Amino acid sequence: MNKHLRILIAILLVAVMVLGVVGCAGDPADTDEPTETTTAAPAGGDDNKDNNGGNNGGNNGGDNGGNNPTPPAPGPGGDDDVVVSGDGIKILGLRNANVGYEGGYWFDWAGSGMIMNINLTDGNVILGFTTTGEVDNEIYFYITVDGAAYGDDGYEAIDTAMDEASIILEGLSAGEHTIEIVKVTDVKVASAHLTAIEFNGTYGSSLVDNEFVVEFVGDGLTTGQGLGANGDVTKAYAWAVANALEADYSIVATEGATVVSAIADYTKASLRNTEIAYKFHRAADVVVINIGAEDYIIDQANSENNAEAFQASYEALIAKVRTWNPNAKILCVYGATAGYDAAVQAAVTAAGGEAKGVYTLALTAAAGEAPTVEENAAFATAITAKIN
């Protein structure tokens, strides 16, 4: 083989290798190997593939050093555990709010959201959403960067009138950052579907589940109804309790919920997207039930007393919670239930009381009135003390 021919072959081999790399960079991602795109990897399909996406999605940016890393793939709807945390990213709300669907995460229930650790090279962090709501309204998020409120007060909003919307975090310095974004708005107002995370840099250190899990079942008192525009779960007692306990949490609550609707909603992944399969991620260590205010208000307005039926439904709710959390302590809070307080106590007794791990806690709350920020803080102190 002459010298010129050898040189020509060498050049052709290099060209083929370069074209192969470019071609791979432009091809759609295979679910086994998450690639660096700007859109959250789709859910569904083979369980093992989806779990690989959830566990390794953060490594995509960290190992390969590219821009616009892909967040971890949502967990599967099969028998394996839902993956809600991994290298560089963690989904908040645990089991109810953030089941993967159509290429992203649903921030549905109040308190749902995410934490991510990133190594930012330069530029902005862009969070892309689609929205769902009954009417044109605003979905509020509370955002912190490195533990401090982002911007003026930490609050950013997207409008449900827009099918697609973005939150752009500007002015962040290059380097490592921990960003937390929490949907503070009640699910009754609207839901937000996180479809893209874009930034120049890589995912940072791994985020893992906390050891303790607390769950809250309730109505607007739990989601922060009356606190800020469209409510604010971060000012409500449930959020404060979870933080005081340094616990992972889930919040199964919505404005206007009754004990019957709480039973129906308890194992729904989403109130707006019925195609999302429910997935129970972790059993709670403690479940706090604070429901019945709406039942009492409705019956009072209709000059009715349905305490007996309410008690039966409350017993059914305790039984459903127990089915999904066999070893949890269940704390039944009352006070805002007014005339049905005795029915709550009777339901707890029927469920076996403290001998069966079911407890009560009376709080001073005015039926029919949204508690203030200060009252919520007092509730949180009492509930945290009781749990401890």
Side-chain angles (χ1 to χ4, degrees):
M1 184 180 297
N2 64 45
K3 177 180 179 181
H4 294 294
L5 183 56
R6 286 198 302 270
I7 293 173
L8 178 60
I9 291 173
I11 291 172
L12 288 173
L13 286 172
V14 171
V16 168
M17 292 172 66
V18 171
L19 288 173
V21 171
V22 172
C24 289
D27 288 341
D30 182 89
T31 52
D32 281 326
E33 300 291 339
T35 59
E36 296 167 7
T37 67
T38 59
T39 304
D46 181 75
D47 284 354
N48 292 329
K49 290 183 179 181
D50 282 332
N51 274 329
N52 287 337
N55 288 324
N56 300 330
N59 288 332
N60 174 51
D63 293 345
N64 299 330
N67 296 333
N68 302 328
T70 302
D79 295 330
D80 295 337
D81 284 343
V82 173
V83 176
V84 294
S85 59
D87 286 351
I89 196 165
K90 177 177 178 178
I91 299 302
L92 302 175
L94 288 182
R95 65 178 187 83
N96 287 289
N98 295 295
V99 176
Y101 181 66
E102 289 184 353
Y105 295 104
W106 279 104
F107 294 166
D108 200 11
W109 302 87
S112 58
M114 58 175 276
I115 307 174
M116 62 179 182
N117 285 336
I118 63 171
N119 297 311
L120 186 64
T121 303
D122 56 48
N124 304 324
V125 176
I126 303 173
L127 304 171
F129 296 91
T130 59
T131 63
T132 306
E134 300 298 330
V135 296
D136 292 348
N137 217 321
E138 287 186 313
I139 306 173
Y140 285 87
F141 295 88
Y142 183 70
I143 300 172
T144 61
V145 178
D146 302 325
Y150 172 75
D152 294 333
D153 57 6
Y155 291 94
E156 298 288 332
I158 56 177
D159 197 330
T160 59
M162 302 172 63
D163 292 334
E164 298 183 357
S166 296
I167 293 176
I168 302 175
L169 306 182
E170 301 176 311
L172 304 186
S173 61
E176 296 185 4
H177 294 288
T178 297
I179 299 171
E180 181 172 353
I181 175 170
V182 177
K183 178 177 178 284
V184 305
T185 305
D186 196 289
V187 62
K188 186 174 182 179
V189 176
S191 298
H193 184 200
L194 176 68
T195 55
I197 302 173
E198 300 176 34
F199 63 91
N200 293 327
T202 62
Y203 282 106
S205 57
S206 178
L207 286 159
V208 298
D209 291 342
N210 289 321
E211 181 179 355
F212 194 75
V213 182
V214 60
E215 180 172 77
F216 302 90
V217 180
D219 51 27
L221 299 178
T222 300
T223 64
Q225 183 177 354
L227 304 177
N230 294 330
D232 186 346
V233 74
T234 63
K235 294 186 174 108
Y237 72 87
W239 173 264
V241 170
N243 280 276
L245 296 171
E246 297 182 352
D248 283 335
Y249 64 87
S250 59
I251 297 174
V252 190
T254 185
E255 293 179 14
T258 64
V259 67
V260 172
S261 69
I263 295 170
D265 294 344
Y266 187 71
T267 52
K268 290 180 181 176
S270 168
L271 295 189
R272 296 181 179 278
N273 303 280
T274 57
E275 295 177 36
I276 303 178
Y278 176 79
K279 181 63 183 179
F280 194 85
H281 172 62
R282 296 170 69 190
D285 296 293
V286 172
V287 180
V288 179
I289 300 176
N290 185 4
I291 195 78
E294 291 293 333
D295 297 82
Y296 182 70
I297 292 169
I298 292 170
D299 288 350
Q300 284 290 101
N302 295 323
S303 300
E304 296 177 354
N305 186 329
N306 295 311
E308 186 174 341
F310 172 82
Q311 178 184 331
S313 296
Y314 203 105
E315 290 175 26
L317 177 60
I318 292 173
K320 189 165 190 178
V321 168
R322 173 62 73 214
T323 297
W324 290 92
N325 304 274
N327 299 314
K329 306 294 186 184
I330 299 175
L331 177 60
C332 299
V333 175
Y334 63 90
T337 49
Y340 290 171
D341 287 355
V344 173
Q345 295 171 299
V348 169
T349 299
E354 294 188 10
K356 296 294 185 180
V358 188
Y359 300 77
T360 59
L361 176 64
L363 297 177
T364 302
E369 297 182 15
T372 64
V373 173
E374 293 74 19
E375 287 172 327
N376 270 279
F379 297 166
T381 299
I383 292 171
T384 302
K386 181 71 172 181
I387 292 174
N388 283 332

